[in-house]
Amino acid sequence: MSKLITIAVDAMGGDNSPKKVLDGINLHHQNSKNIFYKIFGNSEIINKIIPKTLSVNSFEVIHTEDEVKGTDSALSAAKRGKKTSMWLAIESVKKKTSDIVVSAGNTGALFVIAKLNLKMIESIDKPALSGLWPNKIGTNIVLDLGANIDCSEKNLIDFSLMGSALYKALFPNEEPKVALLNIGSEELKGTEMIKATYKTLNNQSHKIYSFKGYIEGNEMMNGDVNVIVTDGFTGNVALKTAEGTANFITSELKNAMTGNLFGKIASIINLKNINKFKKRLDPRLYNGGIFLGLDSPVVKSHGSTDYIGFANSLGMCEKIVLGNLIDKIKQNID
Amino acid sequence: MSKLITIAVDAMGGDNSPKKVLDGINLHHQNSKNIFYKIFGNSEIINKIIPKTLSVNSFEVIHTEDEVKGTDSALSAAKRGKKTSMWLAIESVKKKTSDIVVSAGNTGALFVIAKLNLKMIESIDKPALSGLWPNKIGTNIVLDLGANIDCSEKNLIDFSLMGSALYKALFPNEEPKVALLNIGSEELKGTEMIKATYKTLNNQSHKIYSFKGYIEGNEMMNGDVNVIVTDGFTGNVALKTAEGTANFITSELKNAMTGNLFGKIASIINLKNINKFKKRLDPRLYNGGIFLGLDSPVVKSHGSTDYIGFANSLGMCEKIVLGNLIDKIKQNID
């Protein structure tokens, strides 16, 4: 029997919580029996709606009086935060009573409260927000997605180490291939900081990953590399531009395909293929950002995802703990 | 009868040139009879393949011995450049014998040779590369797309002025709505440089455009604004990420839709709608980047476009001259 994993869950964050969080736990529980869920939130509400199919010995509800709201500033949330479900869930990994923490709540508050409670991994200067991104043959890790606006060469090198450790934890049978996001593939392109990072990464030998040089925005989904490193400003713009483009294209496609009778008939005939396409690009499959650099793993679920997306971020938590992410990062640094 | 416009055309740049350039000129000529094309390139090749339907009094071939290659570095192209079709086409706008110049050749070389030959508009510090981008209700102008890696507050303010002048030249009946690309919509988000630019733009009154604040990557295609301003690094990453995402989604869609018999039948029934969709997002419709900031207009066609895309960039040239772009930029600055 594999190791029992304890996941601390902030039940109160994100849209339609705690219902979607509890339904997500229940869905995840059906496939993963070695998980214990520590559920932080308002026990009066939770106890009323907790799914009956969730085994009673697989979870515990820790009552919290308060919660962080989506509209709270990160600092105000941190100030009055000690009684919130988010704070107490994070504190649970700090005290080592949980292996990992997940929240669909306020990203800024989660970042600040995690930084206040958890230590940094030695020699890492800044934590980064990493995310999953589909490519033609599998999945990319992209970081930083917005935790750090200004990054140094040292930060980007740390991101390479941490991103490849995360990739190895999630996909144990694959080799992490790291690239720097830039505006050209030639060695001389880009900012001074990127060029210096390139030089260092290119001259180092790396234990668990190979360095593949620069990558441009249009190549991110080719599948040639799987760990894409950039500063938080550029990474956030790239992520959101990709989201916006995907939404724009699918809505234009929907308009074109269902605007008349021919389109509707064709869509019915082709329903299975359309569903296959939808499933392949379903953002719920890639739900979950991981804060890297803290000495415990912290996962951020998308606030607007549903219970299926939340269950997927629980699945990511499970893989991260089984893959010994924090140990892998520390080994990478040595 | 409207004004006769002279377009200087570098016939030798880009894939399949000069054939696609000449076919593009011929296509454009069928709809626009008030254009005179000054065609710079190897006259031996050009004279053999120039389309018979192009009226003999609508063009002139200026023989050039040499051409800039796609593999040339910008500096080496500039050094030996004085006999190339690109250099001589640009010189033709410098000497005011043409109103505008277009090339599908090497972007870096075009930028450097244009800067060497043409003066900057007074008080503009850096030229920017701007492009067209579809949105839900029309078209955006985005700049800078990669001419300047490091930008100052002054540069971004200049880009707002020049981008809105370009929008007004291309879409005379619409009001330019300017936004700054950022990683959040709150006033406090972003780099110090972006925050300073926001403050200045927000406190100024603008003659020809309205300032709409920040925009995030996922909102670029919403159609709420139409002039999107950013530094060249971020703009280039955003543009290429959007291209990559669009290619990824359409190839996934194609795989899903035509992988089996149902998909093929549905595609045949739905052919008209599929074509409507393809046409709406056809990159050839948006072909043509415009260098802004020089005292003559310089248009860059995509190197890999075909004759239809090249004809569209000739159409853009025509609109830019008719719309008095350079005068509009100067008025905007006053």
Side-chain angles (χ1 to χ4, degrees):
Chain A
M1 189 177 154
S2 55
K3 176 184 160 190
L4 186 75
I5 294 169
T6 302
I7 303 179
V9 183
D10 168 16
M12 307 308 283
D15 306 344
N16 306 316
S17 289
K19 179 149 178 40
K20 77 144 169 241
V21 171
L22 300 172
D23 290 345
I25 289 174
N26 187 43
L27 176 60
H28 184 247
H29 174 68
Q30 305 314 315
N31 302 311
S32 301
K33 297 295 178 193
N34 288 319
I35 313 290
F36 188 79
Y37 307 92
K38 274 186 185 284
I39 302 170
F40 294 81
N42 187 315
S43 60
E44 274 174 52
I45 305 172
I46 291 171
N47 288 330
K48 268 183 213 154
I49 58 172
I50 200 149
K52 299 278 178 288
T53 43
L54 189 64
S55 322
V56 287
N57 56 357
S58 70
F59 74 95
E60 171 190 7
V61 178
I62 296 101
H63 177 71
T64 57
E65 287 292 323
D66 200 2
E67 63 193 75
V68 174
K69 293 193 171 49
T71 49
D72 287 340
S73 78
L75 289 180
S76 74
K79 262 187 197 166
R80 66 164 184 79
K82 292 192 183 178
K83 287 181 174 171
T84 62
S85 54
M86 186 186 278
W87 187 290
L88 290 161
I90 291 172
E91 209 171 59
S92 156
V93 293
K94 180 185 177 182
K95 292 178 177 165
K96 307 284 175 204
T97 55
S98 299
D99 298 301
I100 190 165
V101 55
V102 58
S103 172
N106 185 318
T107 310
L110 185 68
F111 190 60
V112 169
I113 295 174
K115 273 177 80 175
L116 281 172
N117 276 286
L118 304 173
K119 279 189 196 137
M120 295 291 296
I121 293 174
E122 213 185 304
S123 99
I124 299 287
D125 295 339
K126 282 181 176 178
L129 178 60
S130 57
L132 303 186
W133 193 310
N135 68 40
K136 277 182 190 161
I137 55 171
T139 306
N140 292 337
I141 304 273
V142 186
L143 74 166
D144 175 28
L145 293 176
N148 309 285
I149 287 174
D150 293 308
C151 288
S152 67
E153 179 192 341
K154 166 78 166 63
N155 297 145
L156 292 196
I157 292 169
D158 289 349
F159 297 172
S160 308
L161 295 167
M162 299 195 293
S164 52
L166 175 61
Y167 191 82
K168 200 72 195 166
L170 292 174
F171 309 100
N173 301 323
E174 313 227 1
E175 182 214 7
K177 287 173 275 187
V178 171
L180 287 173
L181 184 58
N182 199 0
I183 61 168
S185 53
E186 307 87 3
E187 215 169 309
L188 287 170
K189 286 257 179 153
T191 62
E192 292 310 314
M193 192 270 288
I194 288 178
K195 284 187 268 185
T197 310
Y198 177 97
K199 220 171 158 182
T200 307
L201 287 175
N202 211 30
N203 292 338
Q204 278 175 353
S205 69
H206 312 285
K207 268 179 252 169
I208 73 150
Y209 69 92
S210 54
F211 178 61
K212 300 292 182 187
Y214 293 136
I215 194 171
E216 294 189 70
N218 53 334
E219 299 161 338
M220 291 173 82
M221 279 150 276
N222 287 1
D224 302 328
V225 302
N226 45 41
V227 179
I228 297 167
V229 171
T230 180
D231 66 274
F233 188 89
T234 311
N236 191 284
V237 168
L239 175 73
K240 287 181 180 160
T241 303
E243 278 176 14
T245 307
N247 289 340
F248 176 66
I249 292 177
T250 46
S251 86
E252 289 291 323
L253 184 70
K254 214 174 156 186
N255 289 345
M257 293 301 173
T258 56
N260 58 26
L261 191 62
F262 285 116
K264 279 173 190 151
I265 293 170
S267 298
I268 292 166
I269 294 176
N270 210 9
L271 205 60
K272 211 171 160 183
N273 288 333
I274 291 173
N275 286 338
K276 196 171 79 182
F277 169 69
K278 278 187 187 158
K279 208 174 162 182
R280 171 80 175 95
L281 294 180
D282 187 344
R284 295 177 301 186
L285 288 178
Y286 307 95
N287 180 43
I290 306 104
F291 285 122
L292 294 172
L294 302 163
D295 68 356
S296 296
V298 177
V299 171
K300 168 72 179 74
S301 160
H302 214 297
S304 63
T305 196
D306 63 6
Y307 76 100
I308 297 175
F310 198 83
N312 281 330
S313 58
L314 290 167
M316 187 189 280
C317 288
E318 186 180 357
K319 280 189 190 166
I320 286 173
V321 176
L322 288 175
N324 293 313
L325 171 66
I326 305 295
D327 287 348
K328 280 208 171 64
I329 293 176
K330 288 178 182 169
Q331 285 160 21
N332 242 2
I333 291 168
D334 283 343
Chain B
M1 189 177 154
S2 55
K3 177 184 158 190
L4 185 77
I5 294 169
T6 302
I7 304 180
V9 182
D10 168 15
M12 307 308 282
D15 306 345
N16 304 317
S17 288
K19 178 148 179 43
K20 79 146 169 238
V21 170
L22 300 172
D23 289 346
I25 289 174
N26 187 42
L27 177 60
H28 184 246
H29 174 68
Q30 305 315 315
N31 303 310
S32 300
K33 297 294 179 192
N34 289 319
I35 313 290
F36 187 78
Y37 307 91
K38 272 186 186 285
I39 303 169
F40 294 82
N42 187 315
S43 60
E44 275 174 51
I45 305 171
I46 291 172
N47 287 330
K48 268 184 212 153
I49 59 172
I50 200 148
K52 299 277 177 290
T53 45
L54 190 62
S55 323
V56 286
N57 56 355
S58 70
F59 75 94
E60 170 191 7
V61 178
I62 297 102
H63 177 73
T64 58
E65 287 293 322
D66 200 2
E67 63 194 74
V68 174
K69 291 194 173 47
T71 48
D72 287 340
S73 77
L75 288 180
S76 76
K79 262 187 197 165
R80 64 163 184 80
K82 293 193 182 177
K83 285 181 174 172
T84 62
S85 53
M86 187 186 278
W87 185 291
L88 289 162
I90 290 172
E91 208 172 59
S92 156
V93 293
K94 180 186 178 184
K95 291 179 177 165
K96 307 286 176 204
T97 53
S98 299
D99 298 301
I100 190 164
V101 55
V102 58
S103 172
N106 186 319
T107 311
L110 185 67
F111 190 60
V112 169
I113 296 175
K115 273 177 80 176
L116 281 173
N117 276 286
L118 304 173
K119 279 190 196 133
M120 295 290 297
I121 293 174
E122 212 184 306
S123 99
I124 300 287
D125 295 341
K126 282 181 176 178
L129 178 60
S130 56
L132 303 186
W133 193 310
N135 69 39
K136 277 182 191 162
I137 54 170
T139 306
N140 290 338
I141 303 274
V142 185
L143 74 166
D144 174 26
L145 293 176
N148 309 286
I149 287 174
D150 293 307
C151 289
S152 67
E153 180 193 341
K154 165 77 166 64
N155 298 145
L156 293 195
I157 292 169
D158 289 349
F159 296 172
S160 309
L161 294 168
M162 297 194 295
S164 51
L166 175 61
Y167 191 81
K168 201 70 195 167
L170 292 174
F171 308 100
N173 301 322
E174 313 228 0
E175 181 213 10
K177 286 173 275 187
V178 171
L180 286 173
L181 184 58
N182 200 359
I183 62 170
S185 52
E186 306 87 3
E187 216 168 310
L188 288 170
K189 286 256 178 153
T191 62
E192 292 310 313
M193 192 270 287
I194 288 178
K195 285 187 267 186
T197 310
Y198 177 97
K199 222 172 157 181
T200 307
L201 288 175
N202 211 30
N203 292 338
Q204 278 175 353
S205 69
H206 312 284
K207 268 181 252 169
I208 74 149
Y209 69 92
S210 54
F211 178 60
K212 300 292 183 188
Y214 293 137
I215 194 170
E216 294 189 70
N218 53 335
E219 300 161 337
M220 290 173 83
M221 278 150 276
N222 288 0
D224 302 329
V225 301
N226 45 40
V227 179
I228 296 167
V229 171
T230 181
D231 66 274
F233 188 89
T234 311
N236 191 283
V237 169
L239 175 73
K240 287 180 179 159
T241 303
E243 277 176 16
T245 308
N247 289 339
F248 177 66
I249 292 178
T250 45
S251 86
E252 289 291 324
L253 184 71
K254 213 174 158 186
N255 289 344
M257 293 301 173
T258 55
N260 58 25
L261 191 62
F262 285 115
K264 279 172 191 152
I265 293 170
S267 297
I268 292 165
I269 294 176
N270 211 8
L271 205 59
K272 210 172 161 184
N273 288 332
I274 291 173
N275 286 338
K276 195 170 80 184
F277 169 70
K278 277 187 187 159
K279 209 175 163 183
R280 170 81 174 95
L281 295 179
D282 187 344
R284 295 177 300 186
L285 289 177
Y286 307 96
N287 179 45
I290 307 104
F291 285 122
L292 294 172
L294 301 163
D295 68 356
S296 295
V298 178
V299 170
K300 169 71 178 75
S301 160
H302 215 296
S304 64
T305 197
D306 64 6
Y307 76 101
I308 296 175
F310 198 83
N312 281 328
S313 58
L314 290 167
M316 187 189 280
C317 288
E318 185 180 357
K319 280 189 190 165
I320 286 173
V321 177
L322 288 175
N324 293 313
L325 170 66
I326 305 295
D327 288 348
K328 280 207 171 63
I329 293 177
K330 288 179 181 168
Q331 285 160 22
N332 242 1
I333 291 168
D334 283 344

